[in-house]
Amino acid sequence: MKFAAIVGTNADFSYNRILLQYMKKHFKQLADIDVLEINQLPAFDQDLPYEEQSMAVWQFKQAVKNADGVIFSCPEYDHAIPAALISAIEWLFYNPKNILEQKPTMVVGVSYGTQATSRAQEQVRQILASPDCNAAVQAGHEVLVGKAAQSFNKDGNITDQAAVANLEESFTSFVKLTDALSKQTEEDNLMTLKQPFVNDAYINFPTGRLSFKEAQQIFSTIPFEIDLIDRNDRFAWFSDKPNREHVRHVNEINETVDECHPPKALPAVKAIINSFKDGSRDMVERPLIMHGHRTLIQYYALRDVDGSYLGTIEFTGSVEHIISLFENGAFADVTTGASKHGDDAATSETSADATSAASEETGAPVDDAADGAAKAKADADDTDATTSASKED
Amino acid sequence: MKITAIVGSNSKHSANRKLLQFMSRHFDDQDITVADIDQVPMFNENYPGGDPQPVIDLAQQIEQSNAVIISCAEHAHTVASSLKSVLEWLSYNLHPFANKPVMIVSVSSFPQGGSRAQMTLRQILNSPGVNAIAWQGDEFLLGNGDTAFNDHGDVKDEGTVKFLDKCFAEFITFAERNNAK
Ligand SMILES: Cc1cc2nc3c(=O)[nH]c(=O)nc-3n(C[C@H](O)[C@H](O)[C@H](O)COP(=O)(O)O)c2cc1C
Ligand SMILES: Cc1cc2nc3c(=O)[nH]c(=O)nc-3n(C[C@H](O)[C@H](O)[C@H](O)COP(=O)(O)O)c2cc1C
């Protein structure tokens, strides 16, 4: 089970951060707790259009959305919740949609004095229970750690055994609550299973048959990852493999294109999809550096045998291995043979726009100007991907 | 009486700003200055260079006033983060609210008019760090804010304006008494 634990302050030093780090350590057998900071978030601004929301806000929302439950550790400022935490919560529920909806949430807190955030915590619960948030707030348990300076030792462990026992009881109960709530939706969530649902059925292709199990495991084995946006512009499927370049989560399945992309990348993504729909292009590619290695992302129009649009697939993989094979002369002897088969590929069309986008890791794939240039170029000659990739530096 | 009226929202088209602007026109026998908070950065204990200038300016303005009005927006049943940030700044190094009479009003787009934000704000004003004297008389809560004002920004409903007159008069008496001390 995966929890997002939000440090409810932007302060450099925070006892509430220490509490969450302690929980992460102490409960590592029980759950996977990811400690999230809020000090990188801009102040909430209701007038900011969604498209202009920053990457930091998007990443924060994604992390919360993809967690099974959320823990808020809330300091008390002036008998109330700190502004920085209110602001973070405002981002979470406001635009474009409330991602705290029915999220299991737990509230904990540490204060310097004896009151131990008793007043601020009540407010967090009140906020989480408001129609704006409508979270599933844990009730009946309180984790109130007072006298912070004495409550933790220098290793960040809680010294008071009664406080540890209370925390254990509260967290165990929260895990149960989260589990119960997630079971309710398990039927919609078959995606979370590791195995396909029908183990021994076969798909008969014109070229042979595959069991469902084989189909799944082929996708998990090939050294590339595939994501599918269906014809209704929904994120429909991704190939499940370890160490993906793009980390995807089953909670994102069925999201619209708008929902599953950072706002700043959206216009470019839509431009690609629209060009696939109207038939003006079949493929767009962008070489770039991801996680420190050279990676090639290719978008293909997925078409039915009659050519009608079925969706867009994103095909991503590290090309380091291929490049090193090439550099070590692997293809030297077989060049002529390879080219015989190679001349039918649709690789050249979009090579120029790939170049222009190559520098950016997280942002938009291609911009419209580059698209135009790419097409003009494609009409003129058949540049190959190698040429365009070298132009980027 | 010199009064600083703080807009408890950083929104461009704040209904709470409208209410305060209306009050400053309507109660022209008092010297009411409307103060916006959208220039105040998010409170941070480790803010580089100490208190930012907009905070210092606002603190000074409050310091030199006899009373304060805060009109608070309600977000998720509490005060907007932008207002809470201002109150944190003004309870940290500077404490201009200390013993200052404060009137709480609010506008919201729902019929309740910001009742829960008012409760939270009162609690915050009463905390030792802020230490204001929040006036405890009638509650002025303006609901359905989207339709409550006419094109000139005046509160439309006559009964509502009458009630505001009554609240404000009581508050002025209260503030005068506190300033005389
Ligand atoms: C602006 C401000 C207001 C505070 N108000 C309160 C308060 O109302 N009640 C309280 O118990 N502690 C209050 N404190 C002290 C905090 O409990 C203390 O700073 C604590 O360490 C905050 O949690 P953190 O270590 O996670 O940042 C306040 C601190 C600041 C900076
Ligand atoms: C993020 C957000 C949350 C809101 N939550 C509430 C709420 O809990 N209760 C309420 O009465 N109005 C709520 N509203 C509507 C406000 O009452 C409305 O936006 C009002 O105009 C706020 O005052 P302002 O215009 O001065 O910012 C919310 C608005 C926003 C932007």
Side-chain angles (χ1 to χ4, degrees):
Chain A
M1 204 169 278
K2 206 173 144 227
F3 293 103
I6 299 177
V7 179
T9 174
N10 53 8
D12 292 348
F13 175 86
S14 159
Y15 285 111
N16 284 280
R17 184 179 296 119
I18 295 173
L19 174 62
L20 291 181
Q21 281 159 352
Y22 172 77
M23 288 177 71
K24 181 185 169 86
K25 214 167 41 181
H26 194 68
F27 296 122
K28 68 171 181 292
Q29 309 292 354
L30 204 56
D32 178 8
I33 298 178
D34 188 13
V35 178
L36 298 184
E37 297 290 344
I38 61 170
N39 60 358
Q40 77 288 9
L41 299 174
F44 175 70
D45 175 4
Q46 71 182 82
D47 301 315
L48 187 73
Y50 173 63
E51 307 73 52
E52 289 169 31
Q53 285 180 14
S54 73
M55 201 63 190
V57 170
W58 195 73
Q59 282 166 341
F60 178 68
K61 289 191 203 182
Q62 287 293 104
V64 172
K65 193 173 68 181
N66 292 335
D68 300 306
V70 186
I71 305 164
F72 288 90
S73 189
C74 177
E76 180 169 295
Y77 279 5
D78 304 325
H79 291 189
I81 141 174
L85 181 56
I86 306 180
S87 170
I89 295 175
E90 287 167 329
W91 284 122
L92 287 179
F93 72 74
Y94 191 57
N95 186 7
K97 66 168 188 192
N98 172 22
I99 62 171
L100 291 171
E101 181 74 27
Q102 288 307 306
K103 257 298 168 210
T105 46
M106 176 184 192
V107 186
V108 300
V110 193
S111 82
Y112 201 75
T114 30
Q115 281 306 313
T117 74
S118 56
R119 292 157 294 214
Q121 280 198 27
E122 278 313 297
Q123 276 179 30
V124 182
R125 291 197 181 87
Q126 176 176 327
I127 293 167
L128 292 174
S130 73
D132 298 272
C133 300
N134 196 24
V137 195
Q138 181 191 28
H141 289 271
E142 286 184 315
V143 176
L144 299 155
V145 183
K147 300 204 173 107
Q150 291 121 65
S151 294
F152 291 94
N153 65 19
K154 63 176 185 341
D155 303 320
N157 294 321
I158 300 181
T159 47
D160 175 3
Q161 284 318 302
V164 173
N166 174 58
L167 180 60
E168 285 170 352
E169 194 193 318
S170 303
F171 186 70
T172 311
S173 147
F174 181 56
V175 169
K176 281 191 195 136
L177 171 75
T178 307
D179 197 40
L181 290 172
S182 72
K183 285 221 173 70
Q184 284 174 7
T185 52
E186 197 157 86
E187 276 169 21
D188 325 327
N189 253 340
L190 287 171
M191 294 289 188
T192 55
L193 298 181
K194 288 273 184 291
Q195 296 296 330
F197 329 128
V198 187
N199 283 323
D200 47 3
Y202 289 88
I203 316 167
N204 287 302
F205 295 97
T207 50
R209 68 175 201 176
L210 291 176
S211 73
F212 282 178
K213 196 175 264 175
E214 287 164 344
Q216 171 177 283
Q217 292 314 112
I218 286 173
F219 288 124
S220 306
T221 305
I222 55 171
F224 294 95
E225 62 197 45
I226 307 175
D227 299 337
L228 172 65
I229 301 225
D230 70 15
R231 76 174 102 193
N232 301 317
D233 295 347
R234 284 186 182 271
F235 180 37
W237 171 81
F238 62 94
S239 61
D240 182 21
K241 60 194 294 290
N243 307 319
R244 284 179 55 105
E245 308 290 341
H246 298 291
V247 178
R248 306 283 189 228
H249 195 281
V250 287
N251 288 2
E252 293 163 301
I253 297 294
N254 235 356
E255 283 186 343
T256 61
V257 170
D258 295 39
E259 289 165 334
C260 67
H261 287 91
K264 287 187 176 152
L266 250 190
V269 172
K270 285 191 159 161
I272 293 176
I273 292 175
N274 288 336
S275 72
F276 290 171
K277 284 183 178 167
D278 67 22
S280 58
R281 289 192 298 191
D282 286 314
M283 197 271 272
V284 172
E285 64 186 349
R286 40 187 304 236
L288 46 71
I289 308 291
M290 280 183 94
H291 315 298
H293 48 253
R294 284 170 288 188
T295 304
L296 185 62
I297 300 179
Q298 296 176 311
Y299 302 89
Y300 291 96
L302 185 69
R303 300 201 189 279
D304 203 347
V305 286
D306 66 1
S308 60
Y309 178 77
L310 289 178
T312 294
I313 57 180
E314 182 172 2
F315 188 86
T316 306
S318 164
V319 288
E320 286 296 342
H321 181 63
I322 300 171
I323 292 170
S324 80
L325 283 175
F326 174 75
E327 285 170 354
N328 292 320
F331 302 103
D333 299 339
V334 293
T335 323
T336 37
S339 66
K340 245 186 248 168
H341 299 288
D343 58 355
D344 59 336
T347 49
S348 59
E349 188 190 332
T350 51
S351 50
D353 48 7
T355 313
S356 60
S359 54
E360 222 183 327
E361 178 166 333
T362 47
V366 210
D367 61 34
D368 287 339
D371 284 357
K375 287 233 259 118
K377 186 143 185 47
D379 291 343
D381 64 3
D382 263 13
T383 334
D384 65 21
T386 325
T387 339
S388 73
S390 63
K391 272 188 282 180
E392 79 193 76
D393 29 47
Chain B
M1 187 174 285
K2 210 169 146 43
I3 299 174
T4 297
I6 299 174
V7 180
S9 166
N10 63 354
S11 120
K12 274 196 201 97
H13 309 286
S14 165
N16 286 285
R17 183 183 304 114
K18 255 191 202 167
L19 174 63
L20 293 179
Q21 282 166 342
F22 170 71
M23 287 175 75
S24 81
R25 286 193 305 273
H26 185 68
F27 301 117
D28 54 4
D29 53 331
Q30 303 292 346
D31 174 14
I32 302 179
T33 311
V34 177
D36 267 306
I37 60 168
D38 53 347
Q39 296 307 312
V40 175
M42 176 59 70
F43 173 78
N44 189 320
E45 283 185 281
N46 311 103
Y47 194 83
D51 292 349
Q53 198 57 45
V55 170
I56 296 169
D57 294 345
L58 182 59
Q60 194 178 20
Q61 195 180 336
I62 294 171
E63 209 72 81
Q64 291 165 357
S65 301
N66 306 101
V68 175
I69 308 170
I70 301 178
S71 190
C72 61
E74 178 169 300
H75 285 184
H77 292 188
T78 195
V79 294
S81 54
S82 50
L83 175 62
K84 182 71 205 315
S85 170
V86 169
L87 297 170
E88 285 168 11
W89 281 118
L90 300 181
S91 69
Y92 194 52
N93 291 324
L94 302 167
H95 298 267
F97 279 110
N99 300 313
K100 202 60 80 180
V102 180
M103 178 186 196
I104 300 173
V105 295
S106 60
V107 191
S108 119
S109 40
F110 296 97
Q112 290 72 26
S115 57
R116 291 150 298 210
Q118 281 209 13
M119 295 270 282
T120 312
L121 178 55
R122 192 174 297 283
Q123 180 175 332
I124 296 167
L125 292 174
N126 285 336
S127 74
V130 182
N131 192 23
I133 319 175
W135 175 59
Q136 307 266 13
D138 289 309
E139 290 173 321
F140 186 79
L141 300 142
L142 185 55
N144 305 316
D146 304 336
T147 53
F149 299 91
N150 67 18
D151 291 346
H152 308 291
D154 297 337
V155 175
K156 275 197 252 179
D157 184 64
E158 243 176 73
T160 305
V161 176
K162 254 206 196 105
F163 181 61
L164 181 60
D165 290 345
K166 174 173 175 282
C167 294
F168 190 72
E170 285 170 17
F171 173 67
I172 292 298
T173 312
F174 170 83
E176 277 166 351
R177 212 180 318 122
N178 276 285
N179 275 280
K181 273 188 201 160

